[in-house]
Amino acid sequence: MSDRAKDLNERSLQLLKALVERYISDGQPVGSRVLSKDSALNLSPATIRNVMADLEDLGLIHSPHTSAGRIPTVSGYRLFVNSLLTVKPLNAKELMRLYQGLSERDDASNMIGVASRLLAELTKMAGVVTLPRRELVCLRHIEFLPLSHKRVLVIFVTNEQEVHNKVIHTDKVFSAAELQQAGAYLNSIYCGHSLATVRAAVLKELQDDQERMNQAMLDAIKMAQLTFESDSGKDDYVLAGQTNLMGFSELSDRDHLKKLFDAFTHKQDVIHLLDQAMKAEGVQIFIGEESGYQAFDHCSLVTSSYSVNDEVVGVLGVIGPTRMAYEKIIPFVDVTAKLLGAALNPKTTAP
Amino acid sequence: MSDRAKDLNERSLQLLKALVERYISDGQPVGSRVLSKDSALNLSPATIRNVMADLEDLGLIHSPHTSAGRIPTVSGYRLFVNSLLTVKPLNAKELMRLYQGLSERDDASNMIGVASRLLAELTKMAGVVTLPRRELVCLRHIEFLPLSHKRVLVIFVTNEQEVHNKVIHTDKVFSAAELQQAGAYLNSIYCGHSLATVRAAVLKELQDDQERMNQAMLDAIKMAQLTFESDSGKDDYVLAGQTNLMGFSELSDRDHLKKLFDAFTHKQDVIHLLDQAMKAEGVQIFIGEESGYQAFDHCSLVTSSYSVNDEVVGVLGVIGPTRMAYEKIIPFVDVTAKLLGAALNPKTTAP
DNA sequence: ATTGGCACTCTTCCGGCTGGAGTGCTAATT
DNA sequence: AATTAGCACTCCAGCCGGAAGAGTGCCAAT
């Protein structure tokens, strides 16, 4: 789908723009009459019909049946979003809500929840925010507790106050004292580093000459390795306002709705999609079937990655029907991402 | 609603039973003709009509309109469930699934999830399981870590490997060493006791003569108090198979469905309802509006409390449309509760 | 190149009709 | 006295046909 804009003259594009905007606001197929009156370009319905026939040939719009108006296709929306759309700034009230909600410093996971709820509430659609990637958070404290048999409970704290825990299986039995010593050792050398750094360092230690370490140190390193191995796949997200989606007539089909909600609970597909979105910096939009997931066939997803310290750590967005007010949602998601990123920035956290 | 069974002769009751069973299996209003053929009692349609008129006068059944059959009212279902129902034992396959799913010893919270999913999957409705009440679990380890300012991160482990954490605000700044000492002190005296016991003991200490304690001990006790105060309200549950509910025609109304799913996400009402159910030991049933929550108006909830060491610690159940196969669901929920209770019993946990 | 006009298509809505299902009542039967 | 057969009645669901409305496509005029 290279830019079709070139295949079309200015007038056709303006017409498409007017049509999409009209359809988004009214939700009904729009005919030549209304466009004739509505749009700034003074054209007769007949002319508009001719232009619309061209647009239909290009696959940008289509009509549900002979005597209905036209509605945009996915390609039509895409062209609209890419080249025609004029974003509207948020109004003061919305901005204020966002700003207030995301300025109080709090537990990061609470903040994620707040962001998700704000997205849902202010857009009347569903909001989604991924948890910040673990890799990039910094290790603050680690500690081991003995469980029965050869299992060890690892507790580690990241950033200010986020606690994670995991059970690892060791190949020998450790006493509480040994474990405490291992924790102290790891704290002394890795505290303050990012998890990614820690993992890399641990791997390096294990590959390097191990002669210079005593057994206790080696055990500690091994346990650290078990703790931090392949935890990266365990991404997650916080969803809010799913039920808002039940109000939209375009999602009224019970089957579509079920598929969508199933995707929400199984999470996997949604995570993949959000992962994709995270790769592209800034605002990213998936319209209808573009996402590639059937569950999202009649939905659009507007996302933006959010960053802490200029490093992308997560992504947030809004899920709604394909027919959504992109010109408002896009800046909205953009601003929310920036505010969330700023709010999560530890450097500016009050003591 | 004292037992109306006395107001009715045996025949009427059998008729009601047949009617309810028929309606549950077919989902359509049942008329006198089908009952005449269907039921064991050999009666002509005319006689059945007379009896049905009586049942309607008593408010046990009603007809949606003149020329439709009858469907049970909530009272009718209630009478059926209380006095008429003949429970069907689970079949071997279902029992096996439950047994296998709940016999592997695992993290308690995983087990809760498995139970919920099994309930949903095998009943094709929604499953719900509350987390075991914290009060009754036993404290295994507690520890404090300093955060910025006067905030302290408390980490405590219960049972085998469940980790909880909470941030408390203290009235003075503690060093890491002081906090470690406090943790060690609390571990030495409270480790192995139930949280309820710990809370009671802590309160007693604070009220008693404090002369015999040094400052460090007092600080430790105070922090324990902050940690365990009023945490009991923080109950939670795990839901599964919500989307199964979208298939039922009786819940097809968008508004009902939205209310129901809103209740699921806000949790509060559901928790209250489950709390009620937990008070009554054994299987408890809420039919339609009986629950008192509008969101559940067209649903029934079949629950059973589950116990560890003969002490009720939680409740689980199935949520579905009022028209559900109670005779199968009831024993099913009952068995699941017993299996879950047994699986959670630490005494029988393999080392 | 644009526009007015016109025939055509398709949906939606409404009223009326019909068949079926089920009831309530009454009178007959056991 | 309880049960049953018979019958008139009601109500719903489905179907048909017609009318109204919306919008198109095409052709001829500007």
Side-chain angles (χ1 to χ4, degrees):
Chain A
M1 165 181 358
S2 69
D3 211 338
R4 277 201 180 100
K6 287 169 190 160
D7 304 357
L8 291 168
N9 57 33
E10 182 59 22
R11 195 180 64 178
S12 307
L13 290 175
Q14 285 312 310
L15 203 74
L16 177 60
K17 182 181 177 197
L19 188 147
V20 175
E21 283 171 349
R22 186 75 189 208
Y23 179 66
I24 286 176
S25 80
D26 289 13
Q28 278 167 353
V30 8
S32 52
R33 287 182 60 104
V34 284
L35 274 188
S36 166
K37 293 178 184 171
D38 176 272
S39 78
L41 6 110
N42 267 17
L43 292 175
S44 77
T47 314
I48 291 184
R49 282 202 285 278
N50 290 328
V51 178
M52 293 208 296
D54 296 345
L55 293 175
E56 183 150 18
D57 287 344
L58 288 170
L60 296 169
I61 58 181
H62 87 282
S63 97
H65 58 81
T66 327
S67 77
R70 309 299 220 287
I71 63 179
T73 61
V74 171
S75 316
Y77 274 121
R78 173 52 62 191
L79 179 53
F80 173 76
V81 164
N82 284 356
S83 328
L84 303 173
L85 175 136
T86 41
V87 294
K88 287 187 190 164
L90 334 202
N91 68 45
K93 203 172 153 192
E94 291 168 333
L95 190 59
M96 206 56 205
R97 281 294 300 282
L98 280 181
Y99 184 71
Q100 285 176 338
L102 292 174
S103 59
E104 288 168 33
R105 294 313 150 78
D106 202 350
D107 184 330
S109 63
N110 281 348
M111 212 115 74
I112 301 294
V114 169
S116 188
R117 255 167 280 138
L118 280 171
L119 284 169
E121 193 182 320
L122 292 174
T123 65
K124 313 280 187 213
M125 303 193 274
V128 61
V129 185
T130 64
L131 300 187
R133 270 165 63 203
R134 267 212 202 160
E135 303 298 291
L136 301 165
V137 300
C138 100
L139 182 65
R140 221 181 102 71
H141 183 89
I142 186 167
E143 161 156 0
F144 303 94
L145 295 175
L147 294 177
S148 47
H149 209 54
K150 288 177 182 167
R151 294 177 309 162
V152 171
L153 173 63
V154 194
I155 300 172
F156 60 98
V157 184
T158 56
N159 290 344
E160 272 314 291
Q161 54 200 52
E162 282 159 76
V163 185
H164 311 263
N165 58 276
K166 182 178 181 180
V167 176
I168 59 175
H169 296 254
T170 53
D171 37 70
K172 65 180 183 189
V173 178
F174 293 99
S175 71
E178 286 171 318
L179 290 176
Q180 198 166 342
Q181 199 191 346
Y185 170 67
L186 291 174
N187 277 324
S188 72
I189 54 175
Y190 294 128
C191 202
H193 295 77
S194 81
L195 292 199
T197 316
V198 174
R199 185 196 295 180
V202 162
L203 280 179
K204 191 156 176 298
E205 290 285 349
L206 283 177
Q207 282 161 2
D208 274 9
D209 185 22
Q210 299 178 354
E211 298 301 312
R212 59 188 175 73
M213 292 194 283
N214 62 31
Q215 187 58 40
M217 285 158 75
L218 190 59
D219 286 339
I221 295 285
K222 274 184 185 165
M223 284 193 283
Q225 199 267 325
L226 286 171
T227 305
F228 297 119
E229 71 179 353
S230 75
D231 242 356
S232 57
K234 220 182 143 198
D235 290 325
D236 200 4
Y237 61 83
V238 174
L239 196 64
Q242 306 97 296
T243 55
N244 287 343
L245 299 180
M246 298 207 267
F248 295 106
S249 56
E250 36 270 274
L251 303 175
S252 62
D253 188 61
R254 310 187 72 39
D255 211 45
H256 287 156
L257 206 59
K258 185 170 183 337
K259 280 198 181 119
L260 190 58
F261 276 68
D262 277 335
F264 288 158
T265 43
H266 294 130
K267 296 202 166 186
Q268 213 177 18
D269 288 356
V270 182
I271 286 174
H272 283 156
L273 192 52
L274 292 174
D275 255 5
Q276 261 177 268
M278 188 153 64
K279 279 169 196 154
E281 209 157 314
V283 174
Q284 180 90 351
I285 303 176
F286 299 88
I287 299 167
E289 305 110 48
E290 285 181 356
S291 70
Y293 294 97
Q294 223 194 337
F296 284 85
D297 268 5
H298 297 256
C299 291
S300 283
L301 172 61
V302 177
T303 66
S304 172
S305 56
Y306 65 90
S307 309
V308 175
N309 292 334
D310 289 331
E311 184 132 35
V312 173
V313 295
V315 62
L316 57 76
V318 166
I319 299 164
T322 318
R323 177 194 145 232
M324 64 164 74
Y326 295 96
E327 75 278 5
K328 288 203 67 179
I329 301 297
I330 290 171
F332 188 81
V333 168
D334 189 38
V335 169
T336 309
K338 282 171 184 151
L339 285 175
L340 178 63
L344 289 175
N345 195 329
K347 276 186 187 164
T348 59
T349 304
Chain B
M1 159 176 10
S2 69
D3 211 338
R4 279 201 178 100
K6 285 168 191 162
D7 304 356
L8 292 167
N9 56 33
E10 181 61 21
R11 195 181 64 179
S12 308
L13 290 175
Q14 285 311 311
L15 203 74
L16 177 61
K17 183 182 177 197
L19 188 147
V20 175
E21 283 171 349
R22 185 74 189 210
Y23 179 66
I24 285 176
S25 81
D26 289 13
Q28 277 166 353
V30 9
S32 54
R33 286 183 60 106
V34 283
L35 274 187
S36 166
K37 293 178 183 171
D38 176 272
S39 78
L41 5 111
N42 266 17
L43 292 175
S44 77
T47 314
I48 292 184
R49 282 203 285 280
N50 289 328
V51 178
M52 292 208 297
D54 296 345
L55 293 175
E56 182 150 18
D57 287 344
L58 288 170
L60 296 170
I61 58 181
H62 87 282
S63 91
H65 58 80
T66 327
S67 77
R70 308 300 221 286
I71 63 178
T73 61
V74 170
S75 315
Y77 275 121
R78 173 52 63 191
L79 178 53
F80 173 76
V81 164
N82 283 357
S83 328
L84 303 173
L85 176 136
T86 41
V87 295
K88 287 186 191 163
L90 331 203
N91 67 44
K93 202 173 152 193
E94 291 168 333
L95 189 60
M96 207 56 204
R97 281 292 302 281
L98 280 181
Y99 184 71
Q100 286 177 338
L102 292 175
S103 60
E104 290 168 31
R105 293 312 150 78
D106 201 350
D107 183 330
S109 64
N110 280 349
M111 212 114 74
I112 301 295
V114 169
S116 188
R117 254 168 280 137
L118 280 171
L119 284 169
E121 192 182 321
L122 293 174
T123 64
K124 314 279 187 214
M125 302 194 274
V128 62
V129 185
T130 64
L131 301 186
R133 271 164 62 201
R134 267 212 201 162
E135 303 298 292
L136 301 164
V137 300
C138 100
L139 181 65
R140 222 181 100 72
H141 183 88
I142 187 167
E143 163 156 359
F144 302 93
L145 294 176
L147 294 176
S148 48
H149 208 54
K150 289 177 182 169
R151 294 177 310 161
V152 171
L153 174 63
V154 193
I155 300 172
F156 60 98
V157 184
T158 56
N159 290 344
E160 272 314 290
Q161 53 200 52
E162 281 159 77
V163 184
H164 311 262
N165 58 276
K166 183 178 180 178
V167 177
I168 59 174
H169 296 254
T170 52
D171 36 69
K172 65 181 183 188
V173 178
F174 293 99
S175 71
E178 286 171 317
L179 290 175
Q180 198 165 342
Q181 197 191 347
Y185 170 66
L186 291 174
N187 277 324
S188 71
I189 54 176
Y190 293 128
C191 202
H193 294 78
S194 82
L195 292 198
T197 316
V198 174
R199 185 195 295 180
V202 163
L203 280 179
K204 191 157 176 298
E205 289 287 350
L206 282 177
Q207 280 160 2
D208 274 9
D209 186 22
Q210 300 176 357
E211 297 301 313
R212 59 190 175 72
M213 292 194 285
N214 62 33
Q215 188 57 42
M217 286 158 75
L218 191 58
D219 286 339
I221 295 285
K222 274 184 184 165
M223 284 193 283
Q225 199 266 325
L226 285 171
T227 304
F228 298 119
E229 71 179 353
S230 74
D231 241 355
S232 58
K234 220 182 145 199
D235 290 326
D236 200 2
Y237 61 82
V238 175
L239 195 65
Q242 306 97 296
T243 55
N244 287 344
L245 300 180
M246 299 207 268
F248 295 106
S249 56
E250 36 270 275
L251 303 175
S252 62
D253 188 62
R254 312 188 69 45
D255 211 46
H256 286 156
L257 206 59
K258 184 168 182 340
K259 280 199 180 118
L260 190 57
F261 275 68
D262 277 335
F264 287 159
T265 43
H266 293 131
K267 296 204 166 186
Q268 212 177 21
D269 287 357
V270 182
I271 286 174
H272 282 157
L273 192 51
L274 292 174
D275 254 6
Q276 262 177 269
M278 187 153 64
K279 279 169 196 154
E281 210 158 312
V283 174
Q284 180 89 352
I285 303 176
F286 299 88
I287 299 167
E289 304 111 49
E290 284 182 357
S291 70
Y293 294 96
Q294 223 195 335
F296 284 84
D297 268 6
H298 298 256
C299 291
S300 284
L301 171 62
V302 177
T303 66
S304 172
S305 56
Y306 65 89
S307 308
V308 174
N309 292 335
D310 289 332
E311 184 133 34
V312 173
V313 295
V315 62
L316 58 76
V318 166
I319 299 164
T322 318
R323 176 194 147 231
M324 64 164 75
Y326 295 95
E327 76 277 6
K328 287 203 67 181
I329 302 298
I330 290 171
F332 188 81
V333 167
D334 189 38
V335 169
T336 309
K338 281 170 185 152
L339 286 175
L340 179 63
L344 289 175
N345 195 329
K347 276 186 187 165
T348 60
T349 303

